[in-house]
Amino acid sequence: MTTLFELKNITKNYWESNEETSRSFLFANITATLQKPERIALLGKSGQGKSTLLRMLALLDTVDNGDVCFKGVSAKDTDTRIWRMNICYVAQQAVMLPGTIEDNLKTVSKLHNSTFDENFARELMKDVGLSDLDWGKQATDLSGGEKQRVSLVRSLLISPSILLLDEITASLDQQSKEYVEQLLVKFHLEKGTSFIWVTHDTEQAKKISERIWYMEDGTLAIDSKTEVFFENGNDFPSQVMI
């Protein structure tokens, strides 16, 4: 069976010399595989390169060494536009494009020459608690939390195989956070979408993930089932989220 997603010895070098460590790399030889759709929480202290790793997987940042493969095909041999239709990155700080909410929601279909599914878009907006928004409103006038959820919906409209989520609920109130968590788990179960979710919220990680990737000292130090990771928490003294 073809591996769904594979990280092969991925390395990211420091751009400049780093006085805090003797390492020349931010992280090195990150290797992991997804054989089937999974929900993964990517954990670790700040500064370990978690966000950088996600950006590299989305081809938004350079892989200095190693490779990433989707369904057995290297990113090096895949058109970037096609890659990002399957592996989609959602940033912590949502970026709204010029125009209305509707313009933003239609952006992905325009970029990929696909039909915009308004019913699906409205269903997703309802799922994230934004059913009452006027789609004619300028996207730049939205609150930070609204922008974050519109950005997520914009990405979900192409039904990617893998979502790379960078602390996307960090700025949301509790109810909005729960809406997003429920929608993403639903998406995983119904559509087989995998996600790799950077979070500093251990309760969220326990609730939404099946698997934990824990980065420390320039490596993927732990790759385990969620329940095993947290049951053995006392064995990982540096497992404190900062």
Side-chain angles (χ1 to χ4, degrees):
M1 182 177 67
T2 302
T3 299
L4 176 63
F5 197 53
E6 188 170 10
L7 287 61
K8 297 181 177 180
N9 298 310
I10 295 179
T11 295
K12 184 62 181 178
N13 297 325
Y14 286 118
W15 287 1
E16 301 175 354
S17 61
N18 189 288
E19 297 178 356
E20 297 180 1
T21 176
S22 59
R23 299 197 314 263
S24 61
F25 54 84
L26 177 59
F27 50 76
N29 301 318
I30 302 293
T31 296
T33 60
L34 280 70
Q35 297 292 348
K36 58 182 178 61
E38 291 190 85
R39 304 192 305 271
I40 298 171
L42 179 56
L43 309 181
K45 293 181 180 180
S46 295
Q48 294 299 312
K50 301 182 298 296
S51 296
T52 299
L53 178 60
L54 288 195
R55 289 180 56 81
M56 290 167 71
L57 299 182
L59 307 187
L60 294 169
D61 207 337
T62 304
V63 176
D64 292 322
N65 191 46
D67 199 6
V68 190
C69 298
F70 175 65
K71 294 184 177 179
V73 181
S74 169
K76 300 171 185 176
D77 300 324
T78 307
D79 180 89
T80 302
R81 184 179 65 87
I82 300 300
W83 182 268
R84 291 179 185 155
M85 285 182 67
N86 289 296
I87 294 94
C88 189
Y89 173 77
V90 185
Q92 181 179 6
Q93 299 295 327
V95 176
M96 291 290 99
L97 301 171
T100 64
I101 294 171
E102 184 171 3
D103 292 332
N104 271 262
L105 293 176
K106 288 182 174 179
T107 296
V108 173
S109 59
K110 289 179 179 178
L111 285 174
H112 297 295
N113 297 316
S114 59
T115 302
F116 176 66
D117 188 339
E118 181 176 341
N119 290 333
F120 185 36
R122 292 195 179 279
E123 178 184 340
L124 291 174
M125 291 287 278
K126 179 180 179 181
D127 285 340
V128 296
L130 296 177
S131 58
D132 293 335
L133 277 185
D134 176 4
W135 284 21
K137 184 176 182 177
Q138 291 296 305
T140 53
D141 292 337
L142 296 174
S143 69
E146 288 170 338
K147 289 177 181 177
Q148 189 61 67
R149 284 175 284 165
V150 169
S151 175
L152 175 61
V153 168
R154 189 173 59 193
S155 296
L156 289 175
L157 284 169
I158 57 173
S159 295
S161 293
I162 297 171
L163 278 166
L164 307 171
L165 309 170
D166 193 359
E167 294 194 69
I168 61 166
T169 61
S171 62
L172 300 184
D173 60 67
Q174 186 60 33
Q175 184 176 52
S176 299
K177 177 179 171 181
E178 290 176 0
Y179 282 148
V180 168
E181 291 172 349
Q182 291 166 8
L183 172 59
L184 288 168
V185 172
K186 174 184 172 184
F187 226 75
H188 166 77
L189 295 174
E190 293 184 356
K191 296 182 177 293
T193 299
S194 297
F195 55 74
I196 303 171
W197 191 334
V198 171
T199 178
H200 285 277
D201 184 337
T202 55
E203 290 305 312
Q204 182 176 71
K206 289 179 185 179
K207 182 165 55 173
I208 58 93
S209 71
E210 305 166 297
R211 183 174 172 187
I212 300 292
W213 289 355
Y214 184 74
M215 295 181 70
E216 184 177 48
D217 295 333
T219 68
L220 183 59
I222 300 169
D223 178 356
S224 77
K225 292 184 178 180
T226 298
E227 60 269 24
V228 173
F229 181 85
F230 286 106
E231 284 172 3
N232 296 329
N234 292 330
D235 296 334
F236 309 127
S238 58
Q239 189 186 304
V240 178
M241 304 302 136
I242 298 177

